Structure formats: C-alpha cells, structure tokens
Amino acid sequence: SRLMNDEIVYRWDGPPSIELRRRQVVLPSGLSYPAHWLVTGDGRPGVVVCALCDGALLLAGSRRPAVGRDGGELPRGVSESCDWPAVADALRELREETGYLGHSPKSEGEYVTDSSVLPTKVAVISCRVASTASLEDTDGEVNQVRWVPLSDIAGLIADGTIADAHSRAALTYLVSLWALGTAS
C-alpha cells in the first residue's frame, strides 16, 4: 500500500508493473536524504521454485539483458495475488517456464530481495517432479531447462554458472534447512 508521502517518480504498467518511488527520510541522527525504491508487480510477492527429482535440481536458462548473459537459475516469478505463501503461484511459474508439473509443494521460508532499493518479499517453495513427467507447453520465457545433480550445485555457484541472487538466496536457505534436517 502506498504511504501518503510517497512520490511516484516513474511508472510502467508492465507486465509486471514497475514503480520507482521516492520519499524524504529523516533519521534519528537528523540526517535527511531522499530514499528511492522499486515496487514491482504492484507489491505482490515473488516466488522462487526448487524443483527436485531423483537427487537433481531443475535449472532454467534465460537471457538476462540487464547483465548481458544467459544464466542458470531457479524458476521464479511474481505472484498473481497477494496470497501467502504463494504455493499455487510457484507451481504455475514452474509449469509456465519449464513445462514441468510440480507436486508435493512445501513453503520452505522467505527472504527479502533488498531491504532498501527492491524490498520485495519472496517465497521459497520446494516441490517434486515425477521422473516420468512429460513436458507441457511453456510461455517461451526460458531458453533451456536442465536437471543438475545436487552434488554439483556448490561448483555451479563457485564458477558463476548460478549467479543470480534469487537462486543463491533460495539455495542457501534450503542448504541450511537440509543441514538441520527440516527441509523436504
């Protein structure tokens, strides 16, 4: 929801919509500055999907013009509603981007993209994909999908193949839960 003293500096109606907002901030120390932040998808939460099958994780390859490269990343997107924890949206994103139908979804937790400039809440959802799963039609957003053994994930992070913050944040979260024995 918008606060009364937010100024919309720029708006694109999308999809997804993007707003650049500004507000004058005064800290307890007396320091004053104009704070700027982005609101995407009208403030709806994001989702990132960790799809698992037979000890492997599904990565999607997408062209990312902002960084000038193709990346291996987890399927992700913006929720269509403000429902939380956005499990249905995660399964929809998985199907739209990769063609796979997920089952047994579990909300593993959440993180905030950036507490200052891009304060979007993102749900980390794990699910299973049957080894006999057939592919559905996709939305064309993803160039390729590939299954990567879980044992290879650390190396793909180290060599920069998995470089995006959403995938790294979700994987860090899941690795921590797996280490504690609490994730699926």
Side-chain angles (χ1 to χ4, degrees):
S1 66
R2 290 191 180 126
L3 299 176
M4 295 302 250
N5 54 354
D6 289 359
E7 174 188 357
I8 298 174
V9 177
Y10 171 82
R11 176 161 175 88
W12 184 64
D13 289 327
S17 63
I18 299 171
E19 287 183 355
L20 174 60
R21 294 183 185 178
R22 173 176 49 209
R23 178 186 317 144
Q24 193 65 27
V25 174
V26 180
L27 299 178
S29 67
L31 175 67
S32 177
Y33 66 95
H36 291 82
W37 67 99
L38 291 172
V39 175
T40 59
D42 295 319
R44 294 185 315 267
V47 295
V48 62
V49 186
C50 297
L52 302 162
C53 178
D54 297 333
L57 179 72
L58 183 64
L59 292 182
S62 297
R63 180 75 183 148
R64 297 299 184 194
V67 294
R69 64 176 275 189
D70 291 336
E73 50 195 47
L74 297 173
R76 65 175 190 250
V78 176
S79 295
E80 290 183 350
S81 69
C82 287
D83 292 341
W84 193 252
V87 171
D89 289 309
L91 294 177
R92 176 188 46 79
E93 285 291 339
L94 176 67
R95 184 191 48 75
E96 287 177 359
E97 291 186 4
T98 71
Y100 285 104
L101 299 176
H103 64 87
S104 305
K106 181 179 178 188
S107 175
E108 302 289 3
E110 67 184 66
Y111 62 90
V112 175
T113 306
D114 178 334
S115 61
S116 180
V117 178
L118 187 59
T120 302
K121 184 166 70 167
V122 180
V124 178
I125 307 295
S126 66
C127 69
R128 302 287 174 186
V129 173
S131 59
T132 58
S134 59
L135 294 176
E136 303 279 324
D137 289 334
T138 68
D139 61 9
E141 183 180 331
V142 169
N143 300 333
Q144 66 174 349
V145 296
R146 67 181 176 142
W147 289 99
V148 177
L150 291 173
S151 59
D152 292 353
I153 298 299
L156 295 174
I157 291 171
D159 73 11
T161 299
I162 300 174
D164 71 291
H166 285 292
S167 295
R168 287 182 172 207
L171 290 170
T172 300
Y173 200 99
L174 283 176
V175 166
S176 299
L177 292 175
W178 287 331
L180 295 171
T182 58
S184 49

